[in-house]
Amino acid sequence: MAEVVRVAIRSDADIVMVRQQARVLAKELGFSASDLTLIATALSELARNIVDYAGQGEIILSLINQGGHRGLVIIARDNGPGITDIERAMQDGYSTGKGLGMGLPGTRRLMDEFEISSGMGQGTTVKVTKWAR
Amino acid sequence: MTEEMKQNTEKTLMEELGFTEVEIARRRAFLELGDDDIQELLSINKLAKEYADPVIEAFYKHLLSFEETRVFFQDPGLLERVKRAQKAYFSRLTQGDYDNTYIEDRLNIGAVHERIGLPVKAYLGMYNFYLRNVANHLYEAYKDMPGKALRVYLSLLKVVFLDIGLAIDTYINRREQLIGKQREAMRELPTPVLQVRDRLLIIPVVGILDSYRARQLTEQLLDSISATRAKAVLMDITGVPIVDSKVANHLLQTVSAARLMGATVILTGLSPQIAQALVAIGVDLSHVRTTVDLQSGLEEAERLLGYRLVPVGERTGTNQAHV
């Protein structure tokens, strides 16, 4: 079984594809139904950000094992305009687009670990992890 | 083929495939295609012109000796034109300037080959044939300088692999467009708005709610509300697998729009998992009426409209009393 999957994100339809791929990987780890939904929701948020703000990018899903602790890592990256003010982007209700401004802070709450790196003109990379219990 | 190529040129192919300056630079960097390589290639441009004819002749002899590639060349005039274009390309390979225009040309040529249905295996096979031929010519030309022959060959490999990558991308892009079109066709699946009772509508939402479908759904719902003068609408999302903040936003907007039309929307079929996820994201649905399932939604809507569901026996009893 593959432990890493890359999915190109170019349109809303790819969001479905990446969710299905994640479901297959996550099932291996024995995530509960509600965890699977949380993961799928986080993926949706990340993929939508790519489509809405960068136009296209990719999501890389990987299984990791850290000292017997198993988890799913999601890396969402794009070469879009990037985020100028990460701190603000992480605040609830802040959006430069037409969204609810819940995407990034919401994703952080859905997952166990959250890292973001971005800068104007440098694209954006978000790395999140959900640990299997 | 050059004329046909011009006709078929899609100006947006670069944009369509996401080729920005940055992307081109990244590809070159990954192949380690640098200025040294360009110098190496420029240094053999004269030699390349010398071996162009024998290479082209061998190239087409090979192409024509296989049925699956021969079928593309029924017209002798076409063969001549393609040969000329091919010769120009081989010469172009050693002329430097692997810039935007170059990339765009390669993409367009890849698209032409995809359109005529040339299999990828033939594409790769012919590149392989070309490289082997050129390797022999380089070896002969630089018999006394084997290092030079190798350096030039390695530089040529980088450009050729850049080109192969571009060609394959056009193939993949075409397939993705096809898949996209099929998805579009599937999206045309209607979301029916059903009238259950006077002034009560049900709208079952099934599948993925993207922006396009959400807009469609809102429009259909508002039209139906206006046509039936509905006062209550049950929007059932049992068949929606994931509600992220964008879908939630669409739903909220639909609910607000319906409210402006004088109808109350009751959202039904929110699964426990989705409810949990929405709370985690922080989406506030507190000012939307929600019920666990369609049945309780129906009961609430009927209450709202002043209907009272009475068992048959009871009703008969009342009727009899009246008689």
Side-chain angles (χ1 to χ4, degrees):
Chain A
M1 202 216 60
E3 305 222 316
V4 178
V5 184
R6 172 191 174 271
V7 181
I9 304 294
R10 294 162 72 164
S11 72
D12 272 4
D14 295 318
I15 299 174
V16 183
M17 173 68 98
V18 74
R19 283 203 306 236
Q20 283 165 352
Q21 296 277 14
R23 192 163 272 271
V24 174
L25 275 183
K27 267 197 177 147
E28 286 291 308
L29 299 188
F31 280 111
S32 67
S34 42
D35 275 347
L36 287 177
T37 309
L38 295 184
I39 292 168
T41 312
L43 266 176
S44 283
E45 300 290 350
L46 293 171
R48 274 192 208 284
N49 278 344
I50 293 177
V51 175
D52 290 353
Y53 295 99
Q56 57 181 321
E58 59 188 9
I59 288 186
I60 297 109
L61 307 162
S62 21
L63 296 181
I64 56 158
N65 189 334
Q66 246 172 41
H69 212 163
R70 303 212 300 159
L72 177 73
V73 178
I74 300 168
I75 295 171
R77 51 178 305 274
D78 63 63
N79 298 321
I83 302 168
T84 341
D85 191 344
I86 294 181
E87 228 168 275
R88 264 182 98 186
M90 291 310 299
Q91 279 167 19
D92 281 338
Y94 175 76
S95 174
T96 55
K98 277 180 267 171
L100 288 175
M102 290 295 176
L104 285 175
T107 306
R108 174 151 69 181
R109 283 188 289 267
L110 291 164
M111 303 295 280
D112 295 326
E113 281 169 29
F114 183 100
E115 282 168 43
I116 181 166
S117 64
S118 183
M120 209 154 87
Q122 291 166 22
T124 304
T125 302
V126 180
K127 180 181 165 188
V128 293
T129 310
K130 189 91 184 164
W131 295 107
R133 269 165 265 277
Chain B
M1 200 185 241
T2 23
E3 291 104 73
E4 283 153 49
M5 260 157 38
K6 270 178 200 151
Q7 279 170 15
N8 290 331
T9 297
E10 284 168 29
K11 278 175 199 137
T12 53
L13 204 53
M14 288 255 285
E15 293 147 29
E16 203 179 295
L17 285 153
F19 275 89
T20 55
E21 297 275 347
V22 178
E23 170 62 18
I24 295 168
R26 278 209 180 101
R27 286 193 182 217
R28 284 222 292 252
F30 196 72
L31 289 162
E32 299 190 282
L33 173 59
D35 292 339
D36 298 355
D37 297 298
I38 294 172
Q39 289 313 315
E40 289 291 355
L41 290 168
L42 286 172
S43 76
I44 61 146
N45 188 243
K46 200 169 147 273
L47 175 67
K49 285 199 176 99
E50 283 164 29
Y51 65 62
D53 281 322
V55 167
I56 281 288
E57 286 314 314
F59 190 86
Y60 283 92
K61 195 168 159 246
H62 185 72
L63 261 178
L64 295 175
S65 62
F66 287 86
E67 178 64 23
E68 54 189 326
T69 38
R70 187 170 50 229
V71 290
F72 291 102
F73 299 103
Q74 301 302 319
D75 172 22
L78 174 73
L79 180 63
E80 279 315 305
R81 289 203 302 276
V82 173
K83 268 189 186 179
R84 275 202 302 276
Q86 199 69 43
K87 202 170 147 183
Y89 167 53
F90 288 161
S91 163
R92 179 70 186 83
L93 277 171
T94 55
Q95 283 169 6
D97 286 337
Y98 309 108
D99 55 5
N100 279 12
T101 325
Y102 182 83
I103 303 281
E104 178 122 49
D105 282 350
R106 299 322 309 157
L107 289 174
N108 286 330
I109 287 165
V112 168
H113 285 120
E114 195 280 339
R115 211 164 293 141
I116 64 168
L118 183 79
V120 173
K121 62 181 177 186
Y123 217 108
L124 293 179
M126 290 319 293
Y127 264 118
N128 179 268
F129 184 88
Y130 165 77
L131 285 171
R132 281 186 283 122
N133 254 265
V134 171
N136 282 325
H137 282 285
L138 290 174
Y139 178 74
E140 286 298 322
Y142 296 107
K143 255 205 156 102
D144 309 329
M145 310 161 66
K148 169 73 177 172
L150 182 63
R151 281 201 308 279
V152 171
Y153 185 69
L154 291 179
S155 298
L156 182 64
L157 265 190
K158 295 178 187 177
V159 178
V160 164
F161 271 80
L162 176 71
D163 291 5
I164 291 176
L166 297 171
I168 292 181
D169 277 352
T170 62
Y171 274 67
I172 296 174
N173 179 53
R174 199 41 115 71
R175 292 298 137 99
E176 278 174 359
Q177 278 185 335
L178 190 71
I179 296 171
K181 276 187 195 137
Q182 288 167 340
R183 281 170 174 160
E184 285 293 318
M186 278 166 68
R187 281 212 299 206
E188 295 303 316
L189 290 176
T191 302
V193 183
L194 313 165
Q195 183 158 17
V196 204
R197 301 204 199 303
D198 194 26
R199 310 225 161 167
L200 173 56
L201 301 175
I202 289 190
I203 179 159
V205 189
V206 177
I208 313 299
L209 204 60
D210 54 22
S211 309
Y212 173 83
R213 274 197 73 203
R215 220 178 11 252
Q216 213 183 18
L217 181 128
T218 308
E219 273 169 27
Q220 266 173 357
L221 181 59
L222 297 184
D223 283 348
S224 304
I225 291 174
S226 143
T228 61
R229 301 185 340 204
K231 284 277 162 218
V233 177
L234 291 166
M235 198 192 295
D236 185 69
I237 59 162
T238 310
V240 178
I242 295 293
V243 181
D244 60 17
S245 63
K246 194 162 180 186
V247 172
N249 196 14
H250 284 314
L251 293 175
L252 285 172
Q253 283 174 358
T254 309
V255 169
S256 307
R259 192 178 294 139
L260 286 178
M261 304 273 301
T264 304
V265 175
I266 301 169
L267 204 58
T268 71
L270 211 67
S271 76
Q273 289 86 17
I274 289 180
Q276 254 180 306
L278 284 177
V279 170
I281 303 179
V283 172
D284 184 15
L285 286 180
S286 61
H287 48 283
V288 178
R289 283 173 191 253
T290 51
T291 62
V292 182
D293 53 22
L294 185 59
Q295 190 185 349
S296 19
L298 197 56
E299 284 161 12
E300 178 154 347
E302 283 168 339
R303 241 191 332 271
L304 211 71
L305 294 171
Y307 288 112
R308 196 161 59 89
L309 215 58
V310 182
V312 178
E314 210 177 297
R315 203 176 144 217
T316 327
T318 343
N319 281 353
Q320 274 170 352
H322 272 285
V323 168

